[in-house]
Every structure is written in structure tokens, then in C-alpha cells.
Amino acid sequence: MGTNPTKIALLMSSLCSFSIIAPAMAADDISTAKIDEHVVVIGRSDNTPLNIAANVNVIDAAAIEMSGATSVTEVLRGQSGIQLSDNNMGTSFAMRGFSASTAVNNTLILLDGRRLNNIDIAAPSLNAIPLNQVDRIEILSGSAGVLYGDQAVGGVINIVTKSPENTGGSMQLSGGSFDTYEGRGDISGAINKDWRYFLTGSYNQGDNYREHNANETGSILGRIQYKTATDSFFIETSYYDDDRENPGSLTKAQFKANPRHSDNTQEYIHEMTTAARTGYQHQLNQHWALAADVDYSDTLVSSLNWGLIAKIRVQC
């Protein structure tokens, strides 16, 4: 039984054609797979997102707007994996199951990549950051102590503020029940080709549900920024004032009779924070840059709770 040379020739030609076409197809796949991806992870960048061993959740400006929140604290309150504990010294954030007493030491709070955690165990005042100033919030769940040092065992929360790149402004006014009123606004523009300015402020007041439970909160921030192809410089200052009445606790019988009632007429907590930041960066070449920044904050908290008068001042 002989071999048909025609069949052998056809088989060899099909194999040769496959070996020539296959590399061309692979090259096309590789070229289309090279997508210019850029992922920012808490102020750090990586061009290979598949190699990032971290769970990062980014809340952008659109999501913040849709949330209906009026403060940074309210935005974070609705995020899974974050536990909030309100106390007379502010709101503590806990991640990965740390208790409120250890949350401040194990959850790192950053503002534009700069630490907000106080040198003592006092919680950083996030409400001092106007919500209409926030561009996005980055949440890194899991220990990041290797990258960011101490106080990052539970995770990292980085609040990225807006930069005055555009000219314009906005204003929002709202009102609600219990004599609640709120106003927020911002404006930005160019002084000349290299210098820009940004000003934002917010105000909120309300009687709230309980008797002797009114609050009056206001904040203002101003920034001047200089930027060229190789140099950038900014200086900003802000002031935050939060005055709240404390309605106190109720017994079960008092709650059934009138849940809005309050026996307190004097107790309160008043927090005032003044902060200033400045930073400079010079781009040496495509890969190297020199940068320096200086932060200052002065927080004064006075309160009358459970018959005790307290006044605490934290400067850093």
C-alpha cells in the first residue's frame, strides 16, 4: 500500500502556514494587551496593577456627591470594613476589628499623603476638612506598616483635596427639619500664568432631634498655589469651629415618656482647630524630584460633661 504524495504536500503546507500565522496573531494580541494603565495607591503609583497586593477602595467626587453626606465622617460611616466610635474628643476610626481604644494607634489617616494622626491618642479631627474641598478618598484595607510606618496596622485612609486647576466656583444651600440649615461654597481662579488661588467655606446649624442638642459648625480654607513645568509651591490655612450641646442620657421611663426630653441645660463640647500647610517640589528629571512640606495644627477642645469641665489643647 503506497503513500499519496499529494496528501503529504497538503499536510506540510498547512503546518507551515500555521507556524507562520501563529506568531503574527500572538504579536497582535500582545500589542493590544499593552494598555496604558496607571493606578494610584494612597499616593503611590504602579504601572502593573495585577501585582498590587492590596485591597484599595477609592471614593471619587461623584460618589461623595451622590451619598448625600455633609462631612467626611459621614462618607466613611457608610463604608464596609470601617467602624466608627463617637466620643467627646471626636470620632475614632477602626479597621480590621481593632477596638475604639486602639483605633487611633492602628488606623493611619492621611491628608494628601500627610499624616493627621496626633502624637497622643487623640483622634484626628476629620470634620475640620470641608467636604466640598475633597476630591476623593482612598481606603487601603489591611496592614500597610511596611509602606507607611507605624499606626498603619489596621489600614490607611487618605483624603485627597481638590487642586485649583480650573477657574470657577459653586454654591449649595439646603435646609431641613429641626431648623437645620447648611451652606457650602468654593471659588478658584488664576492670578497670572503660574499662580492660582482656591477658597472654600461651609456652615451648618441645627437644633437636632433632642432638646439641648443644637449644633453650629463652620469651616473656611484658603490656598495659594504656584506651578511651572519644574517647580510647584503651595501655602494654605484653614479654620474649623464646632460647637455642640450635649443632651445627656435618659432612663427607660424618661425615654418612653418623651424621647426628645433632656435634663441637661449646660453641658456642651466646643472644638476649634487652626491649621496651616506649605510645600515645595522641584523636578530634577523625569524620575527624580526634591520635595519638602511643613504642617502645623492647633486644636482646642473645651467641654462640660457629667459635671466636669475640661479643656485640652493639642499642637503639632
Side-chain angles (χ1 to χ4, degrees):
M1 184 174 179
T3 304
N4 191 339
T6 305
K7 293 183 179 180
I8 296 177
L10 290 174
L11 179 61
M12 292 180 63
S13 62
S14 64
L15 290 175
C16 291
S17 63
F18 178 78
S19 63
I20 294 173
I21 294 173
M25 294 175 60
D28 291 339
D29 292 341
I30 293 173
S31 62
T32 56
K34 290 182 179 179
I35 302 173
D36 185 14
E37 298 187 44
H38 186 75
V39 177
V40 176
V41 182
I42 314 297
R44 300 174 185 269
S45 62
D46 196 321
N47 290 325
T48 54
L50 294 178
N51 293 333
I52 298 175
N55 180 18
V56 180
N57 180 27
V58 179
I59 311 171
D60 58 17
I64 294 174
E65 185 72 21
M66 292 293 293
S67 68
T70 59
S71 66
V72 176
T73 301
E74 291 184 9
V75 174
L76 294 174
R77 191 183 299 274
Q79 299 302 309
S80 61
I82 299 179
Q83 299 82 41
L84 276 70
S85 175
D86 296 320
N87 52 59
N88 292 336
M89 289 302 299
T91 304
S92 297
F93 294 85
M95 299 177 67
R96 299 181 66 207
F98 286 97
S99 63
S101 59
T102 61
V104 179
N105 294 325
N106 292 286
T107 301
L108 180 61
I109 309 295
L110 303 175
L111 179 64
D112 294 326
R114 298 169 179 84
R115 289 173 175 263
L116 285 185
N117 293 56
N118 297 307
I119 56 176
D120 58 2
I121 61 173
S125 180
L126 293 190
N127 288 331
I129 306 170
L131 189 60
N132 55 333
Q133 184 205 350
V134 177
D135 180 65
R136 68 181 187 275
I137 301 176
E138 303 168 339
I139 303 172
L140 192 155
S141 302
S143 179
V146 174
L147 296 176
Y148 302 98
D150 62 339
Q151 298 179 316
V153 178
V156 181
I157 300 174
N158 184 36
I159 302 166
V160 181
T161 58
K162 296 177 181 178
S163 181
E165 300 294 340
N166 301 319
T167 299
S170 65
M171 178 175 289
Q172 299 178 6
L173 299 174
S174 61
S177 56
F178 307 112
D179 293 328
T180 300
Y181 304 98
E182 182 181 11
R184 293 184 287 176
D186 61 79
I187 185 172
S188 61
I191 301 174
N192 54 39
K193 182 181 68 173
D194 300 324
W195 289 89
R196 306 192 68 86
Y197 66 88
F198 179 65
L199 180 66
T200 180
S202 64
Y203 176 79
N204 176 278
Q205 73 167 32
D207 292 338
N208 296 313
Y209 180 75
R210 297 279 307 279
E211 298 175 0
H212 191 71
N213 193 27
N215 77 283
E216 186 175 9
T217 305
S219 64
I220 186 171
L221 179 143
R223 176 189 293 170
I224 296 178
Q225 179 175 301
Y226 170 82
K227 189 174 184 180
T228 64
T230 58
D231 296 275
S232 62
F233 168 79
F234 77 91
I235 183 170
E236 71 175 31
T237 182
S238 62
Y239 176 74
Y240 169 75
D241 192 304
D242 184 19
D243 191 5
R244 296 177 178 271
E245 296 176 340
N246 185 1
S249 59
L250 294 174
T251 64
K252 187 175 181 179
Q254 289 174 326
F255 180 81
K256 288 184 176 181
N258 183 5
R260 300 183 59 186
H261 175 71
S262 173
D263 290 329
N264 292 333
T265 58
Q266 301 294 329
E267 295 186 359
Y268 71 95
I269 178 170
H270 189 189
E271 176 183 351
M272 296 172 287
T273 299
T274 302
R277 296 195 304 138
T278 182
Y280 172 77
Q281 178 173 309
H282 175 69
Q283 196 72 31
L284 298 175
N285 53 46
Q286 183 180 0
H287 304 288
W288 291 90
L290 293 176
D293 61 86
V294 178
D295 300 342
Y296 169 80
S297 66
D298 184 351
T299 300
L300 176 63
V301 180
S302 58
S303 63
L304 172 60
N305 287 306
W306 303 99
L308 299 176
I309 299 176
K311 181 173 288 188
I312 300 174
R313 188 165 199 165
V314 178
Q315 292 179 320
C316 58

